[in-house]
Amino acid sequence: MKTTAQLITVGEAAVADGKWSLAASQFEAAYQQEQSYALNLKLVMALRHTKKFTQASELALEYEADYLKTDQTADVLIDCLCQSQQFIQARLSAQQRAATAPVWLQTTKKQLSAVEQLAETTMQQTLKTTMKQFYHLSDLPVTSQMTRLAAAKHLTYAKYLTAAKFLLVDPFLHQLSRVEVLYTLKGLGVESSVTFQWLDETSLTVVPNVLPAMGQDQVSLAVQAALQQQLAHQDVVLYESLQGLLSLQLMYLYPSPEKIVTNAQSWVELLIGSQTGQLSPKLTVSEQKMLDTQQKIQQLNLELAQ
């Protein structure tokens, strides 16, 4: 059995000879033994030359942050995504460079628009079918909605945005799926306002591009801090368990947890009480509302398991 170093040496020799299939097989064998960004890049470049763009893009996304550090490697990632018709993921990855490489981003967006325009002609029926399935996302069981959401990332930007605006107010869609669509619009840097049905079934008008990152708004940070203060040093096991549950609650409440979390300390106490069977029998009106919301989230979670 060859060592990682030996496999890389053979692979690099194959690259020098233009034998990209051999190079890809050697780098792939090496990568199975040892994962690193440097080796990932060698493998992705080889796969790209052999036109295995889907595999190349999946591997590149494992080190997405590293690829996005330079224009050259970012171009490799975006090209692999475009060649495998993952137009929305390509835009999501590119948008992450908005602050560090604005000129590159504008150029890349123009290139993506051109690629998408071509796809609208060459992939017309495929895109039409995918969009129709995306529109009817709520027809599926909740467990199948995430698969359909992933498939929708093969849509062009214009088609995704059109369908997304409908789904954001679809009353039959599971709340986490609705949040996932909104968060994708945030990732895409959408600057126009959209209407979003929140957890309590009221409508919010929001601009995705200016929304906070998940869990990073003031209320979310306050409840996370309150949980840590109450449990982190007293009961580590319970703290870690509730930390995951709290993160999930905040996903349901995105992007406006302040609509229901009127007191971070009380929210956490209700969470702990619910999970340990030690709820106070006397709750204020606002505490009862918060408890009702937590129980609604718990019910929606049960749907995920069905």
Side-chain angles (χ1 to χ4, degrees), residues 37 40-41 44 60 63-70 73-74 76-77:
Y37 169 56
N40 181 289
L41 182 57
V44 166
Y63 287 90
E64 182 183 28
D66 292 293
Y67 276 86
L68 294 177
K69 285 177 181 176
T70 71
T73 50
V76 170
L77 172 62

Side-chain angles (χ1 to χ4, degrees), residues 27-292:
F27 291 146
E28 189 167 10
Y31 193 70
Q32 287 172 357
Q33 294 179 11
E34 182 182 306
Q35 289 79 47
S36 70
Y37 169 56
L39 185 49
N40 181 289
L41 182 57
K42 291 179 190 294
L43 176 54
V44 166
M45 294 299 284
L47 289 169
R48 190 173 170 223
H49 274 86
T50 56
K51 300 190 183 303
K52 293 182 178 177
F53 297 112
T54 300
Q55 187 183 357
S57 62
E58 288 172 356
L59 283 162
L61 286 171
E62 291 179 8
Y63 287 90
E64 182 183 28
D66 292 293
Y67 276 86
L68 294 177
K69 285 177 181 176
T70 71
D71 290 358
Q72 292 76 17
T73 50
D75 285 342
V76 170
L77 172 62
I78 300 304
D79 180 60
C80 288
L81 289 166
C82 283
Q83 294 285 1
S84 52
Q85 292 83 46
Q86 298 180 69
F87 307 118
I88 297 302
Q89 184 57 57
R91 286 180 176 273
L92 288 170
S93 294
Q95 192 65 32
Q96 292 180 48
R97 303 193 81 214
T100 57
V103 176
W104 175 91
L105 178 60
Q106 289 310 309
T107 302
T108 300
K109 279 185 172 181
K110 288 178 183 176
Q111 293 169 347
L112 285 168
S113 294
V115 171
E116 288 178 340
Q117 195 168 4
L118 179 62
E120 291 280 6
T121 303
T122 59
M123 297 172 56
Q124 188 174 17
Q125 189 56 48
T126 302
L127 288 170
K128 185 179 178 181
T129 302
T130 304
M131 188 178 185
K132 184 179 179 181
Q133 291 173 339
F134 192 36
Y135 260 119
H136 293 279
L137 190 61
S138 61
D139 293 348
L140 291 173
V142 176
T143 49
S144 302
Q145 288 180 15
M146 291 303 166
T147 304
R148 186 71 59 87
L149 281 168
K153 290 187 177 178
H154 288 273
L155 288 171
T156 57
Y157 176 77
K159 278 185 163 48
Y160 188 94
L161 185 59
T162 299
K165 287 180 177 180
F166 167 75
L167 291 171
L168 292 179
V169 292
D170 181 352
F172 302 107
L173 193 62
H174 191 273
Q175 190 65 26
L176 284 188
S177 296
R178 202 179 286 120
V179 168
E180 173 71 20
V181 173
L182 178 63
Y183 210 65
T184 299
L185 296 187
K186 170 183 164 51
L188 291 169
V190 173
E191 296 176 345
S192 55
S193 62
V194 297
T195 304
F196 174 75
Q197 183 171 301
W198 196 65
L199 183 63
D200 64 357
E201 299 177 12
T202 59
S203 295
L204 303 176
T205 300
V206 297
V207 177
N209 192 43
V210 300
L211 291 174
M214 192 84 69
Q216 295 302 304
D217 59 277
Q218 286 188 335
V219 172
S220 295
L221 291 172
V223 292
Q224 290 171 84
L227 180 64
Q228 183 177 26
Q229 186 179 12
Q230 284 208 43
L231 283 182
H233 302 296
Q234 288 85 359
D235 191 330
V236 177
V237 175
L238 182 60
Y239 170 64
E240 290 178 351
S241 172
L242 294 188
Q243 202 176 22
L245 185 53
L246 179 58
S247 295
L248 192 57
Q249 287 182 338
L250 293 174
M251 286 177 67
Y252 278 102
L253 300 178
Y254 189 82
S256 301
E258 71 280 357
K259 285 190 69 179
I260 189 64
V261 183
T262 50
N263 184 295
Q265 193 73 27
S266 296
W267 182 272
V268 168
E269 287 172 359
L270 290 166
L271 173 61
I272 295 170
S274 296
Q275 297 304 308
T276 59
Q278 297 175 341
L279 274 173
S280 169
K282 294 181 179 179
L283 299 177
T284 65
V285 173
S286 62
E287 286 172 342
Q288 187 60 54
K289 284 183 180 178
M290 286 191 280
L291 180 60
D292 291 344

